[in-house]
Amino acid sequence: MGIRGFLRSFAILLLTVGASLAAALTGWLTRSDRVPAAVMRWWGARFVRIGGWTVRVSGAERIPEGGVVLVANHQSLVDIPLFLTAVPREIRFIAKRELGQIPLFGRAMAAAGNLFVDREDPRDAVHMIRQAGALLAKGRSVVVFPEGTRSDDGSIGEFRPGAFHIAWKTGFPLVPVYLAGGRRALPKGSLLFHPAELVVRVLPPILSAPGRPLSRDGMAEESRRRILSAKAEEEETACAVAGT
């Protein structure tokens, strides 16, 4: 297990370096995010394949056509390649500024059209919302992890209302997504990969009632409630299977 995990980790490291270099180079040559984004999608699929994980996706048909804001709980670095593999859309991520500062990988993410934000700088957040709105207008799917950081123990933390400002401000559909398995596949703080089933459950879009538009806080509360409900259902099913 340890040796196999080490070999997989090393193979994924080489894959990530190669794909990052290709994405950064094609971005510089084409001056477009389309080719680098395709490279990163290819990277995500190979990442999951080398990891040896099974992927179970449900509800992908619930994602509306056109621009959409996807909000998900965050367990592991595996969540990014998992999204790229499981969701059949042009995806762009909104991530904290530190991710964009990772040598080569950060440059590749930027070349692929992903956005970075300094959560302590309100002016940076305003600029990011404008950029996200432009991506949504082009029909891209924008992924936000509203907890702001990865979970240490698999619990789902509070959702920051600011993460929902994009959907509230732009009016594009908001769709919650429940992710599971990433913490087992690659625990926070570890570099070794482990066997796991990765789960992606796309939940129904959050819609305002006629004459009663949801606030940012309302969007955050409803998204977290639905994701917690999906988590409870998955855990109940797992317990039932284990007991048979």
Side-chain angles (χ1 to χ4, degrees):
M1 176 81 69
I3 294 176
R4 183 175 298 177
F6 173 79
L7 291 175
R8 284 178 172 169
S9 299
F10 184 68
I12 286 175
L13 175 62
L14 292 179
L15 170 72
T16 301
V17 170
S20 297
L21 183 60
L25 182 59
T26 55
W28 178 74
L29 289 173
T30 65
R31 303 300 178 185
S32 168
D33 65 352
R34 301 298 291 271
V35 177
V39 171
M40 296 309 290
R41 179 174 289 279
W42 175 89
W43 164 78
R46 299 311 181 275
F47 191 112
V48 171
R49 182 177 299 177
I50 293 172
W53 304 303
T54 57
V55 178
R56 174 161 54 90
V57 183
S58 63
E61 71 282 355
R62 289 174 169 154
I63 303 176
E65 294 295 327
V68 60
V69 181
L70 303 171
V71 294
N73 59 303
H74 196 16
Q75 292 192 342
S76 169
L77 291 174
V78 171
D79 294 342
I80 291 177
L82 176 59
F83 250 111
L84 291 170
T85 301
V87 178
R89 289 295 189 86
E90 280 208 55
I91 289 177
R92 303 295 185 269
F93 294 90
I94 295 177
K96 56 186 179 181
R97 182 70 64 187
E98 292 85 345
L99 185 61
Q101 295 170 347
I102 298 175
L104 193 56
F105 182 74
R107 186 179 294 272
M109 290 286 286
N114 300 288
L115 305 178
F116 304 100
V117 60
D118 182 348
R119 292 173 296 186
E120 306 303 322
D121 185 347
R123 292 174 301 177
D124 197 40
V126 170
H127 179 61
M128 180 274 296
I129 290 169
R130 289 177 183 155
Q131 290 179 302
L135 288 174
L136 291 164
K138 293 178 181 178
R140 310 287 198 267
S141 297
V142 174
V143 176
V144 184
F145 298 114
E147 291 167 284
T149 188
R150 287 168 285 155
S151 171
D152 290 316
D153 58 4
S155 62
I156 296 175
E158 294 299 319
F159 283 5
R160 301 183 180 199
F164 296 84
H165 194 80
I166 300 167
W168 178 76
K169 184 75 173 176
T170 64
F172 281 93
L174 174 68
V175 178
V177 181
Y178 172 62
L179 304 178
R183 191 171 66 92
R184 292 187 296 276
L186 181 62
K188 186 175 180 180
S190 174
L191 295 176
L192 292 180
F193 295 87
H194 304 277
E197 179 188 48
L198 304 180
V199 176
V200 179
R201 285 186 59 179
V202 180
L203 306 174
I206 293 176
L207 305 173
S208 296
R212 295 175 55 194
L214 285 172
S215 65
R216 291 186 312 163
D217 288 358
M219 290 179 174
E221 290 170 4
E222 180 62 15
S223 296
R224 186 170 184 268
R225 185 191 69 78
R226 294 190 188 186
I227 289 174
L228 283 170
S229 178
K231 180 177 186 290
E233 289 174 6
E234 287 288 333
E235 291 175 346
E236 183 179 347
T237 300
C239 289
V241 171
T244 59

